[in-house]
Amino acid sequence: LLSFGSRYYLPKVFKMGEVTGKTIAMETGMQSAALGFLFAHKHFEDEAVAVPSAMAVVCMSWLGAFYSAHCRYRTGFAHLL
């Protein structure tokens, strides 16, 4: 959750648009959990080390889906037509 939120507001500091902030939040929020899983799985012998990252991947998938649905319904569909 912190990953999504911080990556959304950080581009605003650099005067980037809201669409850019949403894109960066989605990309980095989803990738950080997946990279944690891959690094834990590759660099540690014990498979149990990757369990927290695997759970984070599942959570981030749900959070990402809810976040993108929220952004889409909040701004409406007019920009898609």
Side-chain angles (χ1 to χ4, degrees), residues 21 43 46:
H43 295 292
D46 188 13

Side-chain angles (χ1 to χ4, degrees), residues 4 26 29-30 33 55-67:
F4 282 109
M26 284 298 295
M30 298 298 289
M55 292 172 53
V57 168
V58 173
C59 291
M60 287 298 174
S61 295
W62 282 101
L63 284 173
F66 287 130
Y67 176 71

Side-chain angles (χ1 to χ4, degrees), residues 2-81:
L2 181 63
S3 178
F4 282 109
S6 65
R7 292 344 185 264
Y8 175 74
Y9 290 109
L10 187 63
K12 291 184 182 243
V13 173
F14 297 108
K15 308 284 189 224
M16 295 178 183
E18 186 170 349
V19 174
T20 303
K22 290 177 185 178
T23 304
I24 291 172
M26 284 298 295
E27 290 294 325
T28 58
M30 298 298 289
Q31 289 177 2
S32 60
L35 284 174
F37 173 77
L38 291 174
F39 287 147
H41 188 68
K42 182 176 180 170
H43 295 292
F44 293 100
E45 296 289 326
D46 188 13
E47 302 250 339
V49 174
V51 170
S53 293
M55 292 172 53
V57 168
V58 173
C59 291
M60 287 298 174
S61 295
W62 282 101
L63 284 173
F66 287 130
Y67 176 71
S68 63
H70 169 73
C71 289
R72 185 170 70 182
Y73 290 117
R74 189 182 69 165
T75 58
F77 295 101
H79 67 284
L80 298 175
L81 300 175

